[in-house]
Amino acid sequence: MKNLAELCTILIENQLGELSAQIFATLAEHGRLPIPTLAHHSGIPSRRVRTGLANLLEAQLILHFAAEEDAPTFYSVNWRNAYNLARHTNIVELVNERFGERAGHLVGNILQLGHARVGDLAEAYELAPGSKRDNGVDGATNHATDAGMVNGAAKPSAANTSQMTSANEFHGTLRALLRSGILVKVGMRAFMPSSDLQEQIEEMVIVEQFPDRKVTGPKKQAEFKQAVHALKRKWRDDDTYSDLHDGGSKGAIKRPGEHFQPSNKRIKLNGVPNGLDAANGEQEVPKLPNDLVVRVDFTRCVLSLRSRRLQQYAKRFMGGVSAEVYGALLQVLEGKTRSVRDELAPEDDEDEEEKLPVANISEVAEVLDPTIDLGATIKGLASSNGVPNGVGKHKTEADDGIKREDSDDEEKPNGFTSYRDRAKRMSLIEAHLSLLEEHGKSFCQRARAHNSNEWRVNFPALTSMLIEAELDNTVKDRYGQIALRIVRMLRDRGKLDEKLVASNVMMRVKDVRAILTQLQFHGILEAQELPKDNGRQPSRTLYLWFFDPKRVQSLVLQQSYKAMSRTLQRIPVERERYRTIIEKAERTDIKGHEQEKLEAIEKQMLREWREIEERLLAQVARVDEIVALLRDFSGKDTSLAT
């Protein structure tokens, strides 16, 4: 945890300042502490400790728990949220791809704040630009956290198209993000450690259902476990956003593909289309309650990042069009998939594949972009007349022999003009899914029957495949192709002595021994000693070499933490080299007018600094993708449990 603690401390110092970073480092070193003990270990006065704890709690970087009202409150670090400060850039990029730049800008602001009330966010977006910064939200600047920014200082402000233009758009975007799971409600239980929450639930169950406090025997143990899971599920449902309980949706009917191409045919009332605001011509959206507190759900974002990684992996083998179909399938399955760290997963003997969610082709077609030409990459199924998927304006011949196109005002269910076009699109989607199924990587499978219309994805198997490929690339890049051959062979065949290794890779024993020693020195391989007699002399000892994937995975993960820390520490060093020009560019009379008020050499230096900072932050984001793959995608890692 040393490398992770160092990384989190650097991230918090860049985000909240030195005081909060020092308090976090003390909690990371000594564990959960009350305020007096925390002040003693950190050497910070209690008054300043409370200020730092308030900042950390607001950003949800620490957790707190008090057994009773009069009992002292103990504080502990929230490892996952602290590390996720490095993931803000990837999350904002993901939201930009799926929901647009304005939604990404909104999520970036919430990430910057930790959590926020809907009323405060709405007020900040509707106020004048000078007042928005006073509320901690910059409506004209993307506030995705940049690790190189000192104390969370904002980037130079510049007007862009990411700013919300109306309350309807603001509430509509928030509802879309809440329904997708990117945003979630925040309750008091979100600030409690999971271990203390578990103890509290068990104590409540014992007091209410087992007054004698005896939970012995198989029958009572089963009843107790069932009651605990029921209470957990009830609390989770209470903390889950619902249109019915959290601001009453009007329940508008959503047609397939409506978010891509809304219907142009609406009933007009008094010259204004039905369901639109007469003042600005926008569709009316029920407003969320002002006291609703929201935050970004990082566990749901992990599912989305996993889908994006799988889609990129499929694109390498199947091409762009099949990858888009695969991405739509993964996006549909996201809404039906439990969190990668769901503690309420059923524990039964059911087949693992039967627990996987399924999606039918209609759901995939609803999410898939209708402008993609699905038949272009499948021989014999190319779309005719250059029209994607057979979708387009159908020409009709009138009595006078003149061909006319159908009016754009006609209703287009899911962008199709006929049932035949829809059936053709479904068959094309099924053809792409069949190609993905038949590939050696088995990207997806049919559910149940052979001719079933439902499809599933074996996420555990594909995640293991991605991790294996990542470890192979790491070994190849660091130690060469021959080392990779040896690692793959040992992974497939188990423990072997150096003679068998040399025979299998068709090399001399002397050359193989040097590579094995190098890999052992760097922790990639291990050797087991088998002495031939009681003397245990090296010459009379057999050494069996083997490859432990879990150990190497943990090793690469720790090295990734260290690499991110060193990259973030490099940013202030580079910033000091360009300190003079940076300070000049940040002056109020020059900011926003650099091209006019800076000399050519100064503009060149400022451009160099921004390129260096961008490259370093991009490197942090790339390493974070490796961390997400090795640690988060499988959901089996417990190193960050609280």
Side-chain angles (χ1 to χ4, degrees):
M1 299 292 286
K2 177 182 177 181
N3 294 325
L4 178 61
E6 181 184 9
L7 171 61
C8 293
T9 303
I10 295 173
L11 290 170
I12 292 174
E13 183 176 0
N14 294 336
Q15 177 81 2
L16 300 177
E18 185 178 354
L19 174 63
S20 299
Q22 187 175 353
I23 293 174
F24 183 91
T26 304
L27 289 174
E29 180 181 359
H30 298 279
R32 53 193 298 167
L33 298 172
I35 291 181
T37 310
L38 178 58
H40 171 72
H41 285 299
S42 62
I44 302 174
S46 298
R47 180 177 59 84
R48 297 195 65 204
V49 168
R50 288 185 172 86
T51 302
L53 288 175
N55 295 332
L56 290 169
L57 281 171
E58 185 178 6
Q60 291 192 319
L61 300 176
I62 61 173
L63 305 168
H64 66 87
F65 177 75
E68 299 176 357
E69 293 184 1
D70 299 333
T73 301
F74 286 82
Y75 297 88
S76 59
V77 298
N78 189 338
W79 288 109
R80 291 195 180 276
N81 283 6
Y83 171 81
N84 284 331
L85 291 175
R87 191 165 290 173
H88 288 186
T89 301
N90 286 333
I91 292 176
V92 172
E93 181 182 351
L94 176 69
V95 176
N96 285 338
E97 293 175 358
R98 294 194 175 183
F99 301 94
E101 291 186 3
R102 295 181 178 179
H105 176 260
L106 177 60
V107 169
N109 282 324
I110 297 175
L111 286 171
Q112 179 78 4
L113 297 171
H115 64 277
R117 289 177 64 252
V118 172
D120 293 339
L121 286 173
E123 181 182 359
Y125 272 99
E126 292 174 357
L127 290 176
S131 300
K132 293 174 185 177
R133 289 188 292 272
D134 297 336
N135 288 274
V137 178
D138 185 359
T141 306
N142 192 334
H143 260 216
T145 302
D146 278 349
M149 293 159 55
V150 180
N151 299 337
K155 294 180 180 179
S157 177
N160 52 44
T161 59
S162 63
Q163 185 176 1
M164 295 289 178
T165 57
S166 67
N168 277 342
E169 182 184 8
F170 170 77
H171 287 281
T173 303
L174 270 181
R175 282 186 179 276
L177 293 171
L178 284 166
R179 289 172 183 145
S180 66
I182 299 295
L183 298 182
V184 292
K185 288 168 47 179
V186 177
M188 290 303 299
R189 288 188 283 267
F191 297 90
M192 294 176 57
S194 56
S195 56
D196 293 323
L197 193 61
Q198 175 73 16
E199 293 180 1
Q200 187 176 16
I201 291 175
E202 292 178 354
E203 181 64 22
M204 291 181 63
V205 170
I206 290 176
V207 170
E208 294 177 1
Q209 302 186 24
F210 300 91
D212 56 354
R213 307 188 69 84
K214 294 182 179 179
V215 189
T216 57
K219 185 177 180 180
K220 281 196 172 184
Q221 285 283 351
E223 293 177 357
F224 174 73
K225 189 175 182 180
Q226 184 178 2
V228 169
H229 274 257
L231 185 56
K232 274 187 180 181
R233 190 170 289 106
K234 180 179 181 301
W235 283 9
R236 184 184 64 179
D237 294 341
D238 292 342
D239 294 338
T240 302
Y241 169 79
S242 170
D243 279 336
L244 181 61
H245 300 96
D246 299 310
S249 173
K250 292 184 178 179
I253 299 175
K254 179 184 177 184
R255 295 181 175 86
E258 189 175 13
H259 57 288
F260 282 112
Q261 187 174 359
S263 173
N264 296 323
K265 189 174 182 180
R266 298 183 182 274
I267 302 175
K268 294 186 179 181
L269 301 177
N270 297 328
V272 179
N274 188 21
L276 299 186
D277 184 3
N280 52 25
E282 293 183 352
Q283 186 174 1
E284 294 180 355
V285 177
K287 294 185 178 180
L288 293 167
N290 289 332
D291 58 351
L292 178 65
V293 183
V294 296
R295 66 174 177 86
V296 175
D297 185 7
F298 293 104
T299 59
R300 179 58 60 176
C301 293
V302 166
L303 294 179
S304 301
L305 293 173
R306 182 179 66 180
S307 299
R308 186 172 68 171
R309 184 65 177 265
L310 288 173
Q311 182 179 350
Q312 293 171 354
Y313 192 59
K315 187 176 181 179
R316 290 173 49 192
F317 301 96
M318 307 299 299
V321 179
S322 295
E324 289 292 335
V325 176
Y326 190 52
L329 173 63
L330 294 172
Q331 189 171 344
V332 173
L333 294 175
E334 281 178 24
K336 304 179 180 181
T337 305
R338 293 191 301 266
S339 169
V340 292
R341 295 192 303 274
D342 190 358
E343 298 179 357
L344 300 180
E347 299 179 0
D348 50 28
D349 297 332
E350 185 182 0
D351 186 10
E352 187 68 25
E353 291 189 359
E354 295 299 327
K355 300 178 184 179
L356 298 174
V358 297
N360 57 52
I361 297 179
S362 299
E363 294 173 325
V364 177
E366 182 180 345
V367 175
L368 185 62
D369 187 352
T371 62
I372 298 176
D373 189 354
L374 298 176
T377 57
I378 301 180
K379 187 176 181 180
L381 295 179
S383 302
S384 59
N385 299 329
V387 181
N389 315 319
V391 180
K393 297 179 179 180
H394 283 225
K395 295 184 178 181
T396 58
E397 188 169 353
D399 295 337
D400 55 5
I402 301 176
K403 293 184 178 180
R404 298 185 176 89
E405 292 184 349
D406 293 342
S407 172
D408 289 340
D409 293 334
E410 294 298 325
E411 192 72 24
K412 298 179 181 179
N414 200 21
F416 305 105
T417 55
S418 69
Y419 175 80
R420 182 177 8 178
D421 292 335
R422 179 176 177 83
K424 180 179 179 181
R425 183 170 175 81
M426 295 295 180
S427 64
L428 289 172
I429 293 175
E430 186 174 9
H432 282 281
L433 293 177
S434 298
L435 291 176
L436 291 164
E437 179 187 23
E438 295 168 359
H439 192 269
K441 304 295 183 181
S442 188
F443 290 105
C444 61
Q445 303 91 29
R446 287 185 187 270
R448 303 180 183 90
H450 175 70
N451 58 351
S452 173
N453 195 32
E454 296 180 333
W455 295 79
R456 65 160 58 101
V457 174
N458 192 345
F459 289 108
L462 288 173
T463 300
S464 300
M465 190 183 305
L466 288 175
I467 293 175
E468 182 179 307
E470 184 63 37
L471 295 181
D472 288 350
N473 290 336
T474 301
V475 173
K476 180 181 177 181
D477 293 340
R478 294 183 182 180
Y479 311 109
Q481 183 67 36
I482 298 178
L484 176 59
R485 286 169 54 193
I486 294 176
V487 167
R488 284 178 172 175
M489 183 194 60
L490 292 175
R491 180 170 54 208
D492 295 338
R493 302 192 179 185
K495 299 179 180 180
L496 297 175
D497 68 343
E498 58 184 20
K499 292 183 180 179
L500 289 176
V501 173
S503 175
N504 288 322
V505 299
M506 294 180 290
M507 295 177 60
R508 295 184 302 175
V509 176
K510 180 180 178 181
D511 297 335
V512 169
R513 186 182 297 122
I515 298 176
L516 292 174
T517 304
Q518 180 190 20
L519 294 175
Q520 184 190 29
F521 178 78
H522 291 94
I524 305 299
L525 297 182
E526 289 294 334
Q528 180 182 357
E529 299 181 7
L530 293 179
K532 296 180 181 180
D533 52 31
N534 295 332
R536 305 185 69 89
Q537 295 295 326
S539 60
R540 299 286 298 169
T541 301
L542 185 65
Y543 294 92
L544 298 181
W545 297 89
F546 64 95
F547 174 74
D548 186 357
K550 295 297 182 183
R551 183 181 182 280
V552 176
Q553 180 178 341
S554 177
L555 176 65
V556 175
L557 182 61
Q558 295 300 321
Q559 292 173 348
S560 300
Y561 292 150
K562 190 172 183 178
M564 295 174 73
S565 300
R566 298 298 176 264
T567 305
L568 293 175
Q569 289 173 338
R570 185 67 187 175
I571 294 178
V573 176
E574 296 291 338
R575 183 183 180 91
E576 185 64 23
R577 293 175 51 197
Y578 297 89
R579 181 172 57 87
T580 303
I581 184 60
I582 292 175
E583 292 177 351
K584 183 175 182 179
E586 290 178 350
R587 284 166 41 185
T588 56
D589 59 327
I590 295 180
K591 184 182 297 184
H593 305 281
E594 292 87 352
Q595 296 297 328
E596 298 84 2
K597 297 188 177 182
L598 292 180
E599 298 180 1
I601 185 64
E602 293 176 333
K603 288 188 287 187
Q604 176 65 23
M605 293 178 61
L606 184 62
R607 190 180 305 109
E608 291 178 359
W609 153 246
R610 289 175 177 173
E611 290 177 355
I612 292 174
E613 184 185 32
E614 183 179 357
R615 285 199 299 268
L616 291 173
L617 294 177
Q619 180 65 21
V620 172
R622 283 195 293 266
V623 178
D624 172 62
E625 294 178 357
I626 298 176
V627 173
L629 171 61
L630 299 179
R631 188 193 67 191
D632 298 332
F633 285 178
S634 65
K636 299 178 181 179
D637 184 86
T638 58
S639 60
L640 305 186
T642 55

